[in-house]
Amino acid sequence: MPRLVLFTDLDGTLLDHDTYSFGPAREALAALESESVPVVFTTSKTRAEIEKWRRLTGNTDPFISENGGAIFVPEGYFRGDFVYDRKEDGYLVIELGAPHREVVRALEDIRRGTGIEIRGVSDMGVEEVMELAGLGEEDAGLVREREYGEPFVVGGGSEAEETVVGEIEKRGLTHTQGGRFHHILGRSDKGKAVSILKGLYVREWGVVETAGIGDSLNDLSMLKAVDIPILVRKPGGGYDERVSITGMAVADAPGPSGWNSAILKLIVSFSEKGP
Ligand SMILES: [Mg+2]
């Protein structure tokens, strides 16, 4: 029987868009734990932020930071050897994203060239990040510990946004969007990272079935890369219409409430398939 691996977005998905609480998802988290299903945080968050949420949820599985910038595998998690780029603080790290300074430089170049008002989190003080992200001071500090991608906001409406997206793509870099920010990345995305990590699980366990759950455009590549894609609702109750995949399941509620019911359903349908 295949083993299940779950890839999950955090902001607006496992964590409530406004309060960042995962409280409503506790039942499903416990069910995954008792079924020994790995829960791979696959998020735009930095490693520093993710480590906080791993501690709070008791998660010890690998994770994917900064929209696919890097895969962090705890040392000894897989029995087999695999190729990684660096060893750091007990993780074997596979790097996929361009260095942060490179994407920041590209963003500066676009700002100068177009005159469009672009503000990256690296240009902002902690207070501005706190306000835009709805975070406390300590958490806003962790947002700014970037290694790969740069979240940013654009002034000037949708026309300016389209211009910026075009300029990013012209440079061979990647644009995506989460619940609050635009993101500029190297040639990496969540989907590439998910495929590589899935490969490591397959080598370890043989047959693996993957599920993915997210809420925004930056989850599209992840949802395309998994066997079972699930979309949760936005705070207003609607869906991100840019995220559409044939056969995709949709949760019945936003954020962690939708996560909870969709994952409980997933576990039941998976176990009913039987050995
Ligand atoms: Mg999200």
Side-chain angles (χ1 to χ4, degrees):
M1 186 181 173
R3 283 190 65 174
L4 183 63
V5 178
L6 177 66
F7 294 87
T8 182
D9 174 47
L10 293 180
D11 293 333
T13 301
L14 177 58
L15 307 178
D16 183 89
H17 176 79
D18 296 308
T19 65
Y20 292 97
S21 163
F22 63 90
R26 280 184 195 278
E27 191 188 348
L29 278 171
L32 290 165
E33 164 110 46
S34 73
E35 299 284 327
S36 302
V37 176
V39 179
V40 178
F41 292 169
T42 308
T43 169
S44 59
K45 287 187 177 303
T46 60
R47 168 188 152 184
E49 293 180 275
I50 297 166
E51 285 181 324
K52 172 190 159 167
W53 291 105
R54 286 174 96 238
R55 278 194 301 276
L56 290 172
T57 56
N59 183 291
T60 54
D61 294 309
F63 58 88
I64 293 167
S65 72
E66 297 186 51
N67 286 311
I71 304 168
F72 291 80
V73 180
E75 243 181 299
Y77 184 87
F78 292 118
R79 281 169 302 166
D81 288 335
F82 61 91
V83 179
Y84 56 88
D85 297 292
R86 58 188 166 92
K87 202 188 260 197
E88 191 183 312
D89 302 336
Y91 300 111
L92 306 177
V93 186
I94 302 173
E95 289 196 297
L96 305 168
H100 179 242
R101 63 176 181 282
E102 272 179 36
V103 298
V104 166
R105 208 178 298 140
L107 206 56
E108 276 165 16
D109 190 45
I110 294 168
R111 184 192 298 128
R112 264 199 305 270
T114 61
I116 292 170
E117 191 199 322
I118 300 169
R119 292 185 60 71
V121 295
S122 304
D123 308 317
M124 299 175 189
V126 173
E127 276 173 19
E128 194 173 354
V129 176
M130 286 166 69
E131 192 171 322
L132 280 173
L135 290 170
E137 188 172 352
E138 198 183 320
D139 287 334
L142 302 179
V143 172
R144 295 167 83 235
E145 293 187 24
R146 312 217 64 89
E147 296 174 284
Y148 306 101
E150 174 79 346
F152 64 95
V153 291
V154 178
S158 58
E159 208 171 299
E161 288 181 334
E162 272 171 43
T163 304
V164 172
V165 172
E167 289 294 323
I168 289 172
E169 287 169 354
K170 231 192 261 175
R171 286 163 174 78
L173 300 170
T174 306
H175 164 269
T176 193
Q177 200 172 0
R180 295 174 191 264
F181 292 101
H182 292 276
H183 298 269
I184 178 171
L185 323 159
R187 288 175 186 80
S188 54
D189 60 36
K190 287 187 179 186
K192 277 185 201 160
V194 166
S195 299
I196 290 168
L197 190 49
K198 178 185 176 174
L200 298 182
Y201 278 108
V202 168
R203 273 189 14 181
E204 189 84 356
W205 291 341
V207 194
V208 163
E209 201 155 306
T210 52
I213 182 163
D215 73 316
S216 291
L217 183 63
N218 65 335
D219 299 310
L220 181 59
S221 64
M222 167 180 79
L223 297 179
K224 281 184 177 166
V226 296
D227 304 308
I228 308 166
I230 308 167
L231 185 66
V232 297
R233 288 177 193 262
K234 290 283 186 181
Y239 298 103
D240 190 326
E241 283 170 9
R242 295 169 297 179
V243 185
S244 171
I245 299 168
T246 315
M248 180 174 73
V250 287
D252 56 14
S257 307
W259 197 97
N260 194 60
S261 53
I263 297 303
L264 289 174
K265 226 183 270 178
L266 170 72
I267 294 170
V268 169
S269 70
F270 195 78
S271 64
E272 275 172 356
K273 273 195 261 177

